[in-house]
């Protein structure tokens, strides 16, 4: 009986060892190859004329709103106004995002999280790299999201 208990303890320790390995690539994001890695992937999809749809997710109402197809140009305008200087290495989150713009291509989906009129982040649903951090403060108004903020 002691041998069975000892053997079961050893087997349990062997099987539980896998839980302690820190090899999950979804928990610890790798550093992106570039600061605008995901933005370039979206730009490539747009240049290849891949079809996509847009949805806005309001984080205050916790509700999705579809974007009319005729307004899909807002994504092209936004992505085309971005240059190298619009991307940051890091930023400090002060508030939760006001809304999210969900971009759905056939093979992949992306999320643009809008925090305020100056900061947005871009990442796919299941990316391996850290998100693109976009500084929108120097962008022309055509490519810039306007976030409504209530007067207090």
């Amino acid at each position: 009986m002691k041998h069975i208990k000892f053997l079961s303890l050893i087997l349990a320790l062997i099987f539980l060892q896998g839980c302690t390995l820190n090899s999950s690539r979804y928990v610890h994001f790798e550093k992106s190859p570039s600061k605008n890695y995901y933005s370039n992937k979206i730009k490539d999809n747009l240049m290849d004329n891949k079809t996509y749809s847009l949805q806005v997710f309001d984080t205050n109402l916790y509700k999705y709103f579809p974007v009319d197809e005729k307004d899909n140009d807002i994504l092209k305008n936004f992505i085309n106004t971005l240059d190298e200087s619009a991307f940051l290495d890091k930023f400090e989150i002060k508030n939760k995002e006001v809304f999210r713009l969900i971009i759905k291509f056939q093979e992949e989906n992306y999320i643009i999280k809008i925090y305020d009129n100056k900061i947005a982040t871009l990442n796919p649903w299941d990316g391996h790299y850290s998100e693109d951090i976009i500084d929108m403060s120097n962008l022309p108004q055509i490519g810039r999201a306007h976030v409504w903020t209530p007067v207090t």
Side-chain angles (χ1 to χ4, degrees), residues 21-60:
L21 296 177
N22 193 11
S23 63
S24 174
R25 49 192 295 192
Y26 295 103
V27 174
H28 301 287
F29 293 113
E30 299 174 18
K31 181 149 176 66
S32 291
S34 67
K35 292 190 287 186
N36 57 351
Y37 178 75
Y38 293 123
S39 301
N40 286 338
K41 288 187 76 164
I42 289 177
K43 188 180 268 188
D44 291 342
N45 285 341
L46 294 173
M47 289 178 72
D48 292 340
N49 290 320
K50 292 188 177 179
T51 59
Y52 65 95
S53 64
L54 300 174
Q55 282 185 322
V56 174
F57 178 73
D58 189 324
T59 58
N60 291 323

Side-chain angles (χ1 to χ4, degrees), residues 28-107:
H28 301 287
F29 293 113
E30 299 174 18
K31 181 149 176 66
S32 291
S34 67
K35 292 190 287 186
N36 57 351
Y37 178 75
Y38 293 123
S39 301
N40 286 338
K41 288 187 76 164
I42 289 177
K43 188 180 268 188
D44 291 342
N45 285 341
L46 294 173
M47 289 178 72
D48 292 340
N49 290 320
K50 292 188 177 179
T51 59
Y52 65 95
S53 64
L54 300 174
Q55 282 185 322
V56 174
F57 178 73
D58 189 324
T59 58
N60 291 323
L61 299 175
Y62 211 76
K63 188 172 181 180
Y64 287 94
F65 298 95
V67 174
D68 197 290
E69 241 182 86
K70 66 181 174 134
D71 294 325
N72 278 359
D73 284 346
I74 61 170
L75 179 64
K76 288 179 185 176
N77 293 339
F78 178 71
I79 293 294
N80 288 331
T81 58
L82 299 176
D83 60 4
E84 281 296 316
S85 66
F87 296 94
L88 305 174
D89 290 321
K90 61 182 177 176
F91 81 106
E92 184 178 322
I93 298 174
K94 296 177 183 169
N95 300 319
K96 75 172 190 168
E97 67 267 18
V98 179
F99 63 90
R100 298 174 186 174
L101 181 64
I102 313 297
I103 307 160
K104 294 185 175 186
F105 289 99
Q106 189 169 2
E107 292 100 23

Side-chain angles (χ1 to χ4, degrees), residues 96-146:
K96 75 172 190 168
E97 67 267 18
V98 179
F99 63 90
R100 298 174 186 174
L101 181 64
I102 313 297
I103 307 160
K104 294 185 175 186
F105 289 99
Q106 189 169 2
E107 292 100 23
E108 52 199 356
N109 299 325
Y110 294 91
I111 305 170
I112 299 178
K113 296 177 186 172
I114 308 294
Y115 291 92
D116 54 32
N117 285 336
K118 296 180 181 173
I119 297 292
T121 60
L122 169 62
N123 60 289
W125 284 115
D126 57 353
H128 301 298
Y129 299 116
S130 57
E131 59 197 2
D132 292 0
I133 303 167
I134 303 167
D135 178 11
M136 300 184 297
S137 58
N138 294 325
L139 296 182
Q141 192 64 34
I142 190 169
R144 196 162 152 201
H146 176 73

